Amino acid sequence: MTETPALPALWPAPLADGTVHATVTVPGSKSVTNRALVLAALAAEPGWVRRPLRSRDSQLMADALRAMGVGIEETVSSSSAGDGSGGEAWRVIPAALHGPTTVDVGNAGTVMRFLPPVATLADGDIRFDGDPRSYERPLGQVISALRTLGARIDDDGRGALPMTVLGGGALEGGTVEIDASNSSQFVSALLLSAPRFNQGVEVRHVGGNLPSMPHIRMTVEMLRAAGAQVDTPEAGGEKDVWRVTPGALLGRDMVVEPDLSNAQPFLAAALITGGTVTVPDWPRRTTQPGDALRRIFTEMGGSCELTDAGLVFTGTGKIHGIDVDLSEVGELTPGIAAVAALADSESVLRGVAHLRLHETDRLAALTKEINGLGGDVTETADGLRIRPRRMHGGVFHTYDDHRMATAGAVIGLAVEGVQIENVATTAKTLPDFPKMWTDMLAGDAEGSGVPGASAGAGA
């Protein structure tokens, strides 16, 4: 990854002094990049991952696969396909997985959950360790499921990191029940490696509401594109049951879509300032949860159009409160909460109790930090109630959570004196965010002041 200048411990969030007019090219999707890397590593032949996200989470995934023996060559490629697939690419060369080695998962949910099933296929022991917060994040369901399927795992009874997968070169597979109500990644973790299990896998979710279903649909579509046979509830099967047949995966040439969830703060800037932001290459069809921003931010006062140039989003400067179920798109909650704090009426964000187990307890963190700036946020059993208030400057803590940092920057557009603690944590999925943010604001801004900022936001 390229060197970036050191950032201050407290980053002054820029105040918008006019309407934002900018085109913002958003890097590739972390969710797609990391799934593509796993599938390519398990394939029977080499493949390409083009326009991958280069961030901490994706670098951790690539480095972990390399440690287990997979070849990943970083190149700059050209394409005559006319689909924008030229540019940076990773050539993934599958190999016999082996240990002993140690994998650093950082605080990346996809790495800590997707790779233990891969490690069961390795010849040798694979130890998993990570940031202190990773020890607190739920992993026990994945560990128990893998044991049911025949894996040997040493976790000292914690059901969490650190742990060691005692790889035997293969896994029997079969039928397993799992409670994935805390994270859809538990299901995706088992499905991604399942074609390589001797019996494949049948995963039965037996818990409460299953969050983030779009991410499971993303996993299924990418598996099928790699040649796997997957039976799903959407295909008329049993509710919350997925079956993957054993078989070889194909090496693919895959172009990674822009990360639509990471487009959120830039679209929010257009909504708040009454400007226009264009995000190139926004897909017309996608399984990414971030596509829901088109609907949610339109309900909150903006408008959007998919054009040949990408998604063109325009705000009026007036922000309306919203009552919305975010259970399928929980990762959007911090940004929506930030916008809601600047709205002209109350908002209720529902269906996101599972966010208490993400990079940090996002519901508690959002409540504390927005209230610390003078806002009025209360936690509910499964979300947040946000009553707009005139806010003031202050330190917005991030808790090493990239989406907390971008949420603070959004509020800082309309509230003078907001300082983001550890904005560098955005490198987890959005490298160079501070520069992207200031470049956006340095675009063709016009007018004087942020429309609507005094109504509830209070600079």
Side-chain angles (χ1 to χ4, degrees):
M1 298 177 65
T2 57
E3 293 286 333
T4 55
L7 292 162
L10 294 178
W11 181 69
L15 183 72
D17 60 1
T19 55
V20 168
H21 293 273
T23 295
V24 179
T25 300
V26 178
S29 163
K30 175 212 55 175
S31 298
V32 173
T33 298
N34 279 2
R35 283 165 173 79
L37 284 171
V38 171
L39 291 172
L42 296 176
E45 57 195 351
W48 288 94
V49 179
R50 301 188 187 276
R51 295 172 61 181
L53 173 68
R54 289 178 59 86
S55 71
R56 187 185 186 215
D57 275 20
S58 60
Q59 201 68 52
L60 285 166
M61 180 67 84
D63 289 346
L65 291 169
R66 287 186 180 113
M68 287 190 273
V70 178
I72 301 178
E73 301 171 354
E74 303 181 23
T75 67
V76 176
S77 67
S78 60
S79 172
S80 59
D83 59 0
S85 58
E88 192 166 9
W90 289 347
R91 176 74 162 166
V92 182
I93 304 168
L97 303 174
H98 61 79
T101 192
T102 296
V103 165
D104 177 12
V105 309
N107 191 19
T110 53
V111 182
M112 71 179 70
R113 290 160 184 156
F114 292 179
L115 289 188
V118 175
T120 67
L121 305 171
D123 184 8
D125 298 348
I126 311 294
R127 178 174 170 80
F128 290 85
D129 208 340
D131 298 351
R133 172 63 180 173
S134 72
Y135 297 0
E136 303 171 13
R137 297 187 68 181
L139 192 61
Q141 289 292 322
V142 174
I143 294 171
S144 297
L146 289 174
R147 285 176 173 149
T148 298
L149 298 174
R152 294 183 301 144
I153 299 174
D154 179 6
D155 66 343
D156 289 333
R158 287 184 300 269
L161 294 177
M163 68 176 191
T164 300
V165 176
L166 309 176
L171 191 70
E172 190 59 25
T175 299
V176 66
E177 292 185 344
I178 189 169
D179 179 356
S181 54
N182 283 335
S183 176
S184 67
Q185 289 178 355
F186 299 168
V187 173
S188 289
L190 299 174
L191 299 183
L192 285 167
S193 294
R196 290 282 303 272
F197 300 165
N198 294 341
Q199 298 182 38
V201 81
E202 178 179 293
V203 180
R204 294 177 169 268
H205 167 60
V206 295
N209 182 58
L210 187 58
S212 303
M213 278 297 296
H215 278 127
I216 296 180
R217 288 192 282 270
M218 176 188 294
T219 297
V220 169
E221 286 202 7
M222 292 181 68
L223 274 162
R224 287 173 173 161
Q229 180 179 329
V230 189
D231 296 325
T232 68
E234 292 90 342
E238 298 174 71
K239 183 180 186 297
D240 292 345
V241 178
W242 295 263
R243 298 181 181 88
V244 180
T245 302
L249 291 172
L250 308 174
R252 286 205 57 212
D253 192 329
M254 178 169 186
V255 182
V256 178
E257 297 173 351
D259 193 313
L260 307 188
S261 294
N262 278 340
Q264 183 180 40
F266 306 101
L267 301 183
L271 180 60
I272 291 168
T273 69
T276 298
V277 165
T278 300
V279 179
D281 301 320
W282 194 286
R284 293 185 178 273
R285 180 186 175 279
T286 181
T287 54
Q288 288 194 60
D291 195 45
L293 287 167
R294 292 191 291 153
R295 170 181 57 83
I296 294 169
F297 276 176
T298 295
E299 289 183 27
M300 297 187 79
S303 63
C304 64
E305 181 183 6
L306 272 175
T307 71
D308 291 342
L311 179 71
V312 181
F313 186 87
T314 302
T316 62
K318 295 180 179 179
I319 308 163
H320 308 311
I322 191 171
D323 188 326
V324 61
D325 184 339
L326 299 176
S327 57
E328 291 205 345
V329 293
E331 65 195 50
L332 303 180
T333 302
I336 293 170
V339 173
L342 306 173
D344 58 13
S345 58
E346 180 178 286
S347 294
V348 179
L349 313 185
R350 307 178 185 275
V352 287
H354 60 286
L355 294 189
R356 294 186 170 99
L357 301 169
H358 275 217
E359 279 82 346
T360 187
D361 179 341
R362 283 179 171 164
L363 299 185
L366 287 165
T367 300
K368 183 176 186 297
E369 297 310 313
I370 294 175
N371 289 351
L373 301 180
D376 184 359
V377 182
T378 55
E379 283 192 59
T380 65
D382 71 339
L384 300 172
R385 184 178 299 274
I386 303 169
R387 301 175 182 87
R389 294 287 185 270
R390 184 173 293 274
M391 292 195 288
H392 53 73
V395 175
F396 194 94
H397 299 91
T398 62
Y399 310 88
D400 294 322
D401 186 334
H402 56 130
R403 299 205 192 279
M404 286 295 296
T406 54
V410 166
I411 293 173
L413 289 172
V415 179
E416 187 172 6
V418 174
Q419 295 181 295
I420 311 297
E421 175 259 340
N422 188 22
V423 75
T425 195
T426 52
K428 177 180 172 69
T429 62
L430 193 56
D432 300 325
F433 169 75
K435 183 176 187 303
M436 293 175 68
W437 197 244
T438 54
D439 285 352
M440 173 193 70
L441 291 171
D444 184 20
E446 55 189 40
S448 56
V450 181
S454 62

